[in-house]
Amino acid sequence: GLSQYLEVLTSSFDAQKGKEAFYHGFVLGLTATLTGDYRIRSNRESGFGRYDIAAFPRKAGERGMVIECKQAESENALETKAQEALEQIKARDYDAEFRAQGVENVLHYGISFCGKHVHVEMV
């Protein structure tokens, strides 16, 4: 999955600490494969904040997706950071823009990174 892409495609220089924007761009690039079925948006305001990436379905009745990326300080913190990302999506109501567009079902992805290691949580 995602960790295999990081391992094979990226350099350890790409995935340095303090480079959360790199991971955001990496995941955003991977969502390009979804553009036939989704409208992909990055860093847009919704609810009480700004999500990292959102995928709005082109077909009525399909699920949307919100992706929030976090950088962990250590591999031991990956799960905690992914959970924090999920909590941020809920606390800041990133689903607001989806509701405004009539999308009722939205998947939430919290993705945390540490170097070439990744952890994904989904609700």
Side-chain angles (χ1 to χ4, degrees), residues 27-103:
V27 174
L28 181 61
L30 293 175
T31 63
T33 62
L34 303 174
T35 57
D37 296 320
Y38 293 90
R39 288 179 297 104
I40 307 299
R41 299 291 180 261
S42 175
N43 283 317
R44 302 281 174 94
E45 289 188 28
S46 184
F48 301 101
R50 185 171 36 98
Y51 54 73
D52 282 339
I53 301 166
F56 295 88
R58 293 186 185 278
K59 290 183 184 176
E62 295 291 321
R63 289 188 217 184
M65 291 180 273
V66 175
I67 301 169
E68 188 65 31
C69 300
K70 296 285 182 194
Q71 186 169 14
E73 291 297 317
S74 69
E75 290 178 47
N76 292 337
L78 283 168
E79 186 174 344
T80 300
K81 282 295 193 179
Q83 286 294 328
E84 284 178 20
L86 289 178
E87 290 169 14
Q88 180 177 326
I89 292 169
K90 184 177 179 181
R92 296 185 183 172
D93 191 23
Y94 291 162
D95 288 0
E97 189 175 346
F98 289 89
R99 287 192 306 274
Q101 294 184 29
V103 178

